[in-house]
């Protein structure tokens, strides 16, 4: 099995990946809070950890991949006070909170399917694990790292810091945090402003509430992932992933909760993807500058001033390719120009793959495809370096086009190897789809185009240039690219 190296946010360097149990991987990734449609910022962690999941499977690991749905406890501004994001949406739309949850969970799944993101093996909801969260809070409380205040339970960072180190993931100085005071609604309930809620007493108007030893209320945002990760992956597991914006306070608090409840940390490798930005600012719902995935797919989004932000529609595979062209730990800034470049790049790869499947072998290979598999494996093992893999696929595309244009040759053995490598890395690992569907309607569509181009070819043979040019020009106007070859013709949209 190839040795995978991944960057561990906790240690701040790349480490060889060694699972707790040989041949098996437990992975937890923070999923969406489902109160609105998924946007480009949601696509990045989904695709990043889809790549990791696919590559671990490729390496031969048996993977249990848990990605949660947050449907309760995530308050406005990621704070301990304010309205629940889902409850607020339900109030504004005059719906039950679980109607909001169901609607946007289904919408999220639809968007992920379009992006060819594989579903996790387990997808737990926070509201379905209230008992586990209460039990987790009890352990923290009984171990002396939490306190009750007016029916709410808060994590005691000062008590925790006497035995463990709070701030090790984010690099925060706990002494500075404890000395810093700031005004917050309900601040008098906390001993320190940096203490965070494990359980919140529900106000009379709060719809989502459950009974607990402390009050009728709801769990804090951070506790859900600690409880569900422990339930499905055990008290220790291999990888925890999410967006870099979750490092503090969410993941920092998860580390503290696990150590406080269990006496030790749970996660061996912390992995974080960087942000999607727009004009240098993080794209997100809370900032109101997000563009939903469906808006990308139809090509229409207006900013707060009414200006159209999208110059065209972008396919799900263009979005996926756009994200994979940057390393997952680097920022990606949205622009129409960048997406259009990704569209061209994706089309080059897709067209090369289509030509690859039609190549005829020769007795010898005259194009350079040596070591392609090893180079792609090396890039993937180096902290999932997808941009380098894509660059190697572009090199392969040049070789494919050289052979297809009759300027080079490839042997049967090399052709079989190239087909396998291209499919393995472009399709199976990067998850790129070169045909939207293999349905009967798609097959009929392709046959109809082939028939039309056969008529054009016959017209050329008959020197009926008017008919030949008319078909070519009108197809070009519709977006078709037609190329005459020594064996007939090729086309792409």
């Amino acid at each position: 099995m190839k040795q995978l190296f991944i960057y561990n946010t906790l240690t701040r360097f790349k480490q060889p990946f060694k699972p707790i149990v040989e041949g098996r991987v437990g992975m937890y990734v923070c999923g969406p809070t489902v109160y609105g449609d998924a946007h480009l910022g949601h696509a990045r962690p989904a695709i990043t950890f889809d790549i990791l999941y696919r590559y671990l499977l490729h390496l031969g690991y048996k993977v249990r991949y848990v990605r949660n749905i947050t449907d309760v406890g995530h308050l406005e501004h990621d704070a301990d006070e304010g309205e629940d994001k889902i409850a607020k949406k339900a109030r504004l739309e005059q719906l039950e909170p679980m109607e909001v949850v169901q609607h946007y969970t289904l919408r999220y799944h639809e968007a992920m399917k379009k992006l060819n993101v594989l579903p996790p093996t387990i997808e737990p909801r926070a509201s379905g694990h209230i008992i586990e969260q209460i039990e987790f809070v009890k352990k923290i409380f009984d171990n002396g790292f939490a306190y009750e205040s007016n029916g709410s339970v808060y994590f005691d960072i000062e008590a925790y810091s006497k035995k463990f180190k709070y701030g090790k993931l984010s690099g925060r100085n706990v002494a500075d945090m404890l000395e810093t005071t700031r005004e917050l609604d309900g601040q008098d309930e906390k001993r320190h402003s940096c203490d965070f809620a494990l359980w919140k007493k529900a106000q009379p108007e709060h719809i989502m509430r459950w009974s607990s030893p402390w009050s009728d209320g709801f769990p804090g945002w951070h506790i859900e992932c600690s409880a569900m990760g422990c339930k499905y992956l055990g008290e220790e597991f291999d990888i925890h992933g999410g967006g870099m914006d979750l490092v503090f306070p969410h993941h920092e608090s998860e580390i503290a909760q696990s150590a406080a409840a269990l006496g030790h940390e749970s996660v061996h490798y912390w992995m974080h993807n960087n942000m999607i930005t727009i004009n240098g600012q993080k794209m997100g719902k809370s900032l109101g500058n997000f563009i939903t995935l469906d808006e990308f797919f139809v090509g229409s989004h207006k900013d707060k001033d009414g200006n159209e932000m999208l110059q065209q529609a972008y396919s799900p595979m263009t979005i996926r390719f756009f994200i994979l062209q940057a390393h997952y730990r680097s920022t990606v800034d949205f622009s129409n120009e960048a997406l259009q470049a990704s569209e061209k790049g994706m089309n080059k790869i897709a067209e090369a793959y289509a030509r690859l499947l039609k190549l005829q072998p020769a007795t010898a290979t005259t194009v350079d495809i040596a070591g392609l598999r090893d180079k792609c494996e090396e890039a993937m093992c180096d902290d999932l370096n997808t941009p380098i893999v894509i660059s190697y696929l572009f090199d392969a595309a040049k070789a494919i086009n050289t052979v297809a244009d009759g300027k080079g040759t490839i042997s049967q053995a090399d052709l079989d190897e190239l087909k396998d490598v291209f499919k393995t890395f472009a399709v199976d690992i990067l998850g790129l789809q070169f045909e939207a569907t293999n349905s009967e309607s798609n097959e009929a569509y392709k046959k109809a185009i082939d028939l039309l181009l056969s008529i054009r070819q016959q017209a050329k043979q008959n020197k009926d240039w008017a008919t030949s040019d008319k078909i070519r020009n009108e197809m070009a106007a519709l977006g078709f690219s037609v190329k005459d070859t020594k064996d007939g013709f090729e086309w792409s949209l």
Side-chain angles (χ1 to χ4, degrees), residues 26-43:
M27 179 169 77
Y28 187 100
V29 175
C30 289
T33 301
V34 282
Y35 68 103
D37 279 332
H39 56 71
L40 195 60
H42 292 117

Side-chain angles (χ1 to χ4, degrees), residues 13-14 84 163 274 292 298 305 345 423 428 458 471 481:
F13 63 84
K14 278 189 278 191
D84 184 293
K163 186 175 180 180
N274 215 319
T292 71
V298 300
D305 299 319
K423 180 182 181 299
D428 299 339
Q458 187 64 49
I471 292 173
S481 172

Side-chain angles (χ1 to χ4, degrees), residues 132-149:
E132 289 86 350
Q133 292 174 78
I134 289 173
E135 291 302 312
F136 215 91
V137 174
K138 282 182 183 177
K139 290 179 182 179
I140 297 171
F141 196 91
D142 292 345
N143 289 341
F145 298 114
Y147 57 90
E148 181 182 355
S149 178

Side-chain angles (χ1 to χ4, degrees), residues 344-399:
K344 290 178 182 177
M346 175 66 195
N347 287 341
K348 285 181 181 178
I349 298 290
E351 288 167 8
Y353 187 58
R355 300 187 93 185
L356 171 63
L357 299 179
K358 297 176 183 177
L359 290 186
Q360 297 300 314
T363 55
T365 299
T366 61
V367 290
D368 182 14
I369 56 169
L372 180 62
R373 184 187 298 274
D374 288 340
K375 289 189 287 187
C376 289
E377 289 280 11
E378 183 181 356
M380 287 301 299
C381 282
D382 183 16
D383 197 29
L384 310 180
N385 203 329
T386 58
I388 298 298
V389 174
I390 289 172
S391 74
Y392 292 141
L393 292 176
F394 279 131
D395 290 341
K398 290 179 184 177

